[in-house]
Amino acid sequence: MAGKLASEDLIAVAGGGLLHRRLFLKAGLVLATAQTATSLRAEEASPPKAEDPADPSWIHKTGLPFTGYGAPSKYEKHVVRNIGGNRTPQGDGVSWTPLEELEGIVTPSGLHFERHHDGVPEIDPAVHRLVIHGLVQRPLEFTVANLLRYPMRSRFLFIECGGNSNAGWHEEPIQRPAGAFHGLVSCAEWTGVPLSLLLNEAGVDPKASWVIAEGADAGLLNVSLPLSKLMDDAMVGLYQNGERVRPENGYPIRLIVPGWEGITNVKWLRRLHVTDAPAMTRNETAKYTELLPSGKARMFTFVMDAKSLITSPSPGQKMHGANVYEIRGLAWSGSGKISKVEVSADGGKSWAEAELQDPVMSQCFTRFRSPWAWDGKAALLKSRATDETGYVQPERDVLIKERGREGYFHYNAIVCWAVDEDGTISHVYA
Amino acid sequence: MSMLRRVAAAIVVPVVATVAIAEDAGVKAPRLGTPLSADAIAKWDRTIFADGRGLPPGKGTAKDGRVIYEQKCASCHGEHGEGGTSEELVSGPTPPSPDNPSKAIGSYWPYATTIFDFVRRSMPPAAPGSLSADETYAVTAYLLAANAIIPEGAKMDAKTLAAVRMPNRDGFIWIDIKK
């Protein structure tokens, strides 16, 4: 394998064999030898082949018929959401996006993570209404059909559950695929009506400062949100990746609050109560607050701070011996655009800047890539995101020193994968 | 301010200024909302505020609430609120500490009105909204008494519930919006 690495281009820019980020953009010199760590599940799923690749049977017969709504290849059936353990009561739980199986920045709608507090309601859009009342001049009711007639805008946005990655607080590093650890975050193109249009139509009273948003699920999930944010960039989301919002993501309408924690993006939105104080609901007091070592707890921690992780190689995948690999990962920030992602192959002793793939958009997944000449020895891979406000993703010990271990929510520390000499990958604290 | 947190003030735009900008933008939009009458609003409005606004008429005591709790809540939250498949509800009336980081009602919840609001809208999960106002006051009273926050015989209604001061009332720091 070493012969394949012999090139004057393969000069490391950081320890452990990290190469210049633009290496893969050069004339295909090394690209042909780059291997991705492949999924063990994918390898197992491949059936023994009797087909001759040069003359397979499917080039000699008519293929399958047209379909009204397409589905992934039967050979990709392992790419599914990872549904959280058997929860009681039924309906309260999560399913995780398999981040390590996906590429680019858009999460297919059927793989967008789920967090439901009491199941997915089967809402008839002809019956559903959005009501705006409280400190407004004109309390109003909107049908879904009417909302579809308003001017819309589209934005590519990540949505991340406030509880994503919470296993990071554990004393021992959890051993699961990247998505089953960090996959309560997904990214989609959301299209909808700017909420400011509807609030202005209702005529907001100058005394108003908060809005209580309520969903139409069993349990009528409710949260309080500052009016200023809703007037600034919130949307009534009607479309997800070009089609109407999926039931498990809020059909027929979902509140979209860019960059803020998942629970504020209220699904099945039915009521906006314009008012002058938060309601202090269960989900903004007893939950989605972070207990600190001082005994005080952080509250109204709306913004999802900058975060990144390497999706390949990652636990559950396997290296194929010493060679040039492409380190691939995702970064995002609720405060704006990702300005820089650095990767390390020596546990953070040295860092190399990764290539950020265009487009880089505010409050959206950013795909990063970095060429890596792995020498076949043990390595510690990390990624570190910086956003346009200058905020830098913290090391785990720094985060825990500030927050303690009882906060549960808003874990965004640097993630470390250990690559063993035999090519296996595990999660470590280093 | 936290070293991990950029300046929150940069995110929270003053409300008045934002409203003015939105109106000045002059976006043309149809006006398709239909007016909602006061009677209609009364049917929709289920918000309960921490100061008691929105609490309905009705009343209940811990004694009545215990019966309802045992029938409808104990299977998930434990016979005495100690937790089971769902979270712990009963702890001492003491704010959390590093040695006892409990998030049960007595140690963590800052407002008693939140119990009433959440039980009324969300509990029990198989039939949310099925408890009457009296039953909801009673279950709330039971949970407050079990946490040694009110006496066993105390009657909870719109006035007395709003007056309950929870032990961890001042235990929270607002992060992304100014108080």
Side-chain angles (χ1 to χ4, degrees):
Chain A
M1 287 292 183
K4 290 185 181 176
L5 303 182
S7 165
E8 60 191 19
D9 284 312
L10 299 182
I11 297 167
V13 296
L18 288 168
L19 307 174
H20 191 275
R21 67 185 187 277
R22 295 199 182 274
L23 182 62
F24 283 157
L25 300 181
K26 290 187 175 184
L29 173 67
V30 188
L31 193 59
T33 65
Q35 292 181 336
T36 305
T38 53
S39 161
L40 294 174
R41 283 188 293 170
E43 285 178 352
E44 289 163 2
S46 300
K49 289 193 175 63
E51 296 279 359
D52 176 0
D55 194 33
S57 60
W58 49 82
I59 72 173
H60 297 296
K61 63 183 181 188
T62 304
L64 295 171
F66 298 93
T67 52
Y69 198 98
S73 162
K74 65 180 182 181
Y75 299 106
E76 298 297 322
K77 284 202 161 110
H78 59 285
V79 182
V80 292
R81 288 187 284 225
N82 186 319
I83 299 170
N86 297 321
R87 289 291 301 263
T88 306
Q90 188 181 5
D92 180 20
V94 298
S95 71
W96 312 73
T97 295
L99 297 172
E100 71 283 359
E101 300 281 2
L102 305 177
E103 250 298 342
I105 59 172
V106 172
T107 308
S109 296
L111 296 176
H112 195 289
F113 86 89
E114 303 170 275
R115 167 73 178 110
H116 312 311
H117 293 79
D118 201 2
V120 179
E122 292 187 274
I123 295 176
D124 179 348
V127 177
H128 191 78
R129 300 285 185 275
L130 173 62
V131 162
I132 300 177
H133 71 102
L135 291 175
V136 294
Q137 292 159 22
R138 296 171 291 277
L140 295 174
E141 178 182 83
F142 298 88
T143 64
V144 176
N146 281 343
L147 290 171
L148 287 162
R149 291 170 55 191
Y150 277 74
M152 295 192 197
R153 71 168 68 133
S154 297
R155 283 192 63 185
F156 286 87
L157 296 166
F158 78 83
I159 295 178
E160 182 177 21
C161 177
N164 191 27
S165 312
N166 66 69
W169 302 113
H170 295 182
E171 295 277 3
E172 295 298 324
I174 194 169
Q175 301 301 331
R176 304 178 76 176
F181 175 14
H182 298 286
L184 297 185
V185 61
S186 306
C187 187
E189 186 195 36
W190 296 97
T191 301
V193 179
L195 187 52
S196 59
L197 291 180
L198 307 181
L199 289 169
N200 284 339
E201 184 176 332
V204 175
D205 189 302
K207 292 194 293 290
S209 52
W210 286 82
V211 176
I212 320 302
E214 181 182 87
D217 51 338
L220 296 170
L221 186 142
N222 56 346
V223 296
S224 308
L225 290 163
L227 173 64
S228 53
K229 172 68 173 178
L230 298 191
M231 290 297 284
D232 181 27
D233 63 358
M235 295 192 294
V236 173
L238 288 151
Y239 294 87
Q240 174 185 2
N241 293 332
E243 64 182 355
R244 295 291 295 279
V245 173
R246 292 285 175 95
E248 66 268 36
N249 273 292
Y251 183 86
I253 55 173
R254 167 177 211 168
L255 187 59
I256 300 290
V257 188
W260 284 23
E261 62 183 356
I263 193 163
T264 67
N265 293 250
V266 175
K267 297 185 284 190
W268 316 295
L269 181 69
R270 71 172 221 144
R271 188 167 71 93
L272 294 167
H273 187 166
V274 181
T275 182
D276 59 357
M280 296 299 180
T281 72
R282 178 255 198 177
N283 280 316
E284 62 208 23
T285 55
K287 305 287 177 183
Y288 300 92
T289 52
E290 301 103 60
L291 182 59
L292 297 168
S294 66
K296 300 288 185 189
R298 291 155 52 90
M299 183 181 226
F300 298 129
T301 41
F302 295 124
V303 179
M304 299 310 296
D305 284 330
K307 188 162 167 178
S308 70
L309 78 152
I310 292 167
T311 54
S312 177
S314 64
Q317 300 172 344
K318 190 161 172 60
M319 307 291 282
H320 298 282
N323 209 330
V324 175
Y325 290 81
E326 182 178 74
I327 292 173
R328 303 166 174 170
L330 292 168
W332 61 95
S333 168
S335 298
K337 289 181 183 175
I338 290 295
S339 57
K340 182 169 69 174
V341 176
E342 299 155 289
V343 296
S344 175
D346 54 15
K349 291 193 194 74
S350 63
W351 297 88
E353 198 169 334
E355 180 71 12
L356 302 185
Q357 176 175 286
D358 285 335
V360 176
M361 295 182 279
S362 183
Q363 297 153 324
C364 178
F365 273 179
T366 295
R367 176 63 64 177
F368 66 87
R369 303 178 188 282
S370 194
W372 177 39
W374 184 48
D375 58 8
K377 293 177 182 157
L380 293 172
L381 296 177
K382 288 183 174 181
S383 66
R384 178 171 70 186
T386 303
D387 71 23
E388 64 181 336
T389 72
Y391 176 92
V392 181
Q393 184 182 11
E395 284 283 4
R396 183 171 178 275
D397 56 353
V398 174
L399 186 69
I400 284 179
K401 188 176 177 192
E402 176 180 299
R403 305 263 181 89
R405 327 182 69 90
E406 302 297 336
Y408 189 86
F409 300 95
H410 288 267
Y411 183 92
N412 72 321
I414 289 170
V415 180
C416 187
W417 305 138
V419 179
D420 204 354
E421 288 180 358
D422 69 1
T424 59
I425 297 140
S426 58
H427 174 216
V428 296
Y429 295 147
Chain B
M1 180 165 289
S2 154
M3 60 190 284
L4 294 173
R5 169 66 57 181
R6 67 239 145 291
V7 181
I11 297 157
V12 181
V13 180
V15 171
V16 174
T18 310
V19 172
I21 289 164
E23 286 177 347
D24 286 347
V27 179
K28 299 289 185 218
R31 298 172 74 86
L32 303 174
T34 52
L36 208 56
S37 69
D39 285 350
I41 293 170
K43 279 179 67 182
W44 281 91
D45 184 1
R46 300 178 203 209
T47 308
I48 291 168
F49 290 91
D51 62 5
R53 277 182 290 162
L55 281 170
K59 61 182 187 305
T61 63
K63 189 179 166 212
D64 302 330
R66 181 190 303 276
V67 178
I68 299 161
Y69 179 87
E70 286 170 356
Q71 287 173 350
K72 305 194 172 183
C73 317
S75 62
C76 293
H77 290 288
E79 198 179 341
H80 303 288
E82 70 275 18
T85 53
S86 291
E87 56 265 61
E88 163 194 33
L89 298 175
V90 173
S91 58
T94 312
S97 65
D99 296 333
N100 181 28
S102 171
K103 294 177 186 173
I105 289 171
S107 53
Y108 199 67
W109 292 43
Y111 298 97
T113 48
T114 307
I115 306 169
F116 185 98
D117 177 57
F118 184 65
V119 170
R120 182 170 73 155
R121 69 177 54 241
S122 301
M123 291 290 119
S130 59
L131 297 180
S132 69
D134 283 354
E135 289 173 317
T136 310
Y137 277 116
V139 169
T140 305
Y142 169 71
L143 292 171
L144 289 169
N147 279 284
I149 291 165
I150 62 169
E152 285 284 338
K155 185 183 73 181
M156 287 291 108
D157 59 22
K159 195 175 171 191
T160 55
L161 181 61
V164 172
R165 188 173 175 87
M166 300 294 278
N168 200 37
R169 167 73 172 75
D170 297 323
F172 294 85
I173 307 159
W174 292 21
I175 299 296
D176 284 326
I177 181 100
K178 285 178 187 160
K179 206 169 236 181

